Amino acid sequence: MSSFKSFDIAGSGMAAQSVRLNTTASNLANADSVATTADGVYKARHPIFEAVRAQLAMAGANPESNPAVRVTGIYESTAPASQRYEPGNPLADANGYVFAPAVNVVEEMVNMISASRSYQNNVEVMNTSKELLLATLRLGQG
Amino acid sequence: MPLNLDQYVGVHATALDVRARRGELIAKNLANADTPGYQARDIDFRQAMARAAGDKTSGTPMSTTLTTTRAGHIGGTATADAASSPDLKYRTPLAPALDGNTVDAQIEQAAFAENAVRYQATLTFLNSKFRGLLTAILGG
């Protein structure tokens, strides 16, 4: 039944956006996790979105009629960690430096707002689809 | 004269189908609002309806047929929502993003709302058709 496809599509969008929200939450929570070495420091994580097309086409399904979006992976940012001089910190290295993750808090907040708006859009699509489907079920009843 | 229910509901059944398909497509645009390189799509409603009406007379609902002009040609049908479907268009972006995404969430939302209202209008038409039929059967 084709009307249920809207639910799959909106559902995949919501799933993808919630992954994005999760990575943003993780990045914000670790924005101040300092480490002794540049390698050991937390790296900002970001999801990669992809429209589902090629993969389903290979499986023999109709590519245009299938949902929608998926997260193909989560990459770790390669931005260099910033050095801070904190000789009193027990994590400081021999020269008195600690390494802070290259998490841009402003960028993450913007990401969070964008993700939550997109999530809301998908919820709205799902609600409207549900209403239309229920109206279709009541067809001919009055 | 027997009643042909298909003829009785007329264009509305097809319209409902095309509306549902358009709703799906816009849902997909919204789901991919943040996917790099995704290009928003929409249905040319007039063309889709014309094609659906044409298909109805030829007996294969919602399909595209290949024309065979020579003996060696292979005929075939594709479903209406295949990639090559002529009534599926790409939306002209007002402000394309740097990552190649052409989804404008506001435009898609407006289109989705409009489509939902029209879907409900079609449902109302169908409902009143059935009510009329019921009145004829039950005698008021």
Side-chain angles (χ1 to χ4, degrees), chain A residues 4 6 10 20 26 31 34 37-38 46 51-52 56 63-64 73 78 80 83 100-101 107 120 122 135 138:
Chain A
F4 288 109
S6 292
R20 190 167 164 213
S26 165
V34 292
T37 61
H46 298 285
V52 179
L56 284 162
E64 280 307 321
T78 51
Q83 248 177 339
E107 221 169 73
Q120 283 170 2
N122 282 304
R138 284 194 300 271

Side-chain angles (χ1 to χ4, degrees), chain B residues 20-66:
Chain B
R21 217 150 63 82
R22 181 158 185 247
E24 243 167 59
L25 214 57
I26 299 173
K28 205 152 101 171
N29 288 344
L30 278 169
N32 280 297
D34 297 309
T35 308
Y38 180 84
Q39 287 171 318
R41 308 197 76 177
D42 201 352
I43 282 181
D44 183 339
F45 192 78
R46 182 192 298 270
Q47 213 172 323
M49 284 300 286
R51 214 158 52 85
D55 286 339
K56 215 166 227 173
T57 51
S58 68
T60 48
M62 303 298 276
S63 66
T64 323
T65 42
L66 291 177

Side-chain angles (χ1 to χ4, degrees), chain A:
Chain A
M1 167 97 186
S2 80
S3 298
F4 288 109
K5 245 180 276 164
S6 292
F7 291 94
D8 294 346
I9 293 168
S12 74
M14 280 157 72
Q17 296 300 342
S18 68
V19 168
R20 190 167 164 213
L21 272 177
N22 272 337
T23 55
T24 304
S26 165
N27 292 346
L28 281 174
N30 285 298
D32 290 317
S33 315
V34 292
T36 313
T37 61
D39 294 330
V41 81
Y42 175 84
K43 304 262 195 310
R45 290 174 168 81
H46 298 285
I48 305 168
F49 288 176
E50 186 192 68
V52 179
R53 201 164 280 166
Q55 178 214 19
L56 284 162
M58 271 190 288
N62 190 337
E64 280 307 321
S65 60
N66 272 303
V69 62
R70 68 186 175 121
V71 179
T72 49
I74 292 170
Y75 72 91
E76 289 190 342
S77 168
T78 51
S82 60
Q83 248 177 339
R84 264 207 317 252
Y85 185 62
E86 277 180 27
N89 196 320
L91 287 174
D93 63 8
N95 300 320
Y97 285 100
V98 292
F99 291 86
V103 173
N104 188 336
V105 178
V106 177
E107 221 169 73
E108 294 301 332
M109 289 301 285
V110 170
N111 239 331
M112 186 190 79
I113 294 167
S114 168
S116 72
R117 288 283 176 271
S118 295
Y119 192 95
Q120 283 170 2
N121 272 345
N122 282 304
V123 171
E124 211 54 53
V125 166
M126 209 176 240
N127 271 335
T128 310
S129 299
K130 190 191 83 184
E131 269 166 38
L132 292 182
L133 200 61
L134 286 177
T136 314
L137 280 178
R138 284 194 300 271
L139 187 63
Q141 286 181 6

Side-chain angles (χ1 to χ4, degrees), chain B residues 4 19 27 32 50 107 109-110 122:
Chain B
N4 186 341
R19 285 280 167 224
N32 280 297
I107 288 177
Q109 262 183 332
T122 305

Side-chain angles (χ1 to χ4, degrees), chain B residues 2 5 11-12 20 29 31 36 38 40 45 50 61 79 81 84 87-89 107 117 127 134 138:
Chain B
L5 206 59
V11 76
H12 300 306
N29 288 344
Y38 180 84
F45 192 78
T79 47
D81 36 15
S84 58
D87 51 16
L88 269 183
K89 309 279 194 225
I107 288 177
V117 170
N127 251 330
L134 214 59
L138 298 174

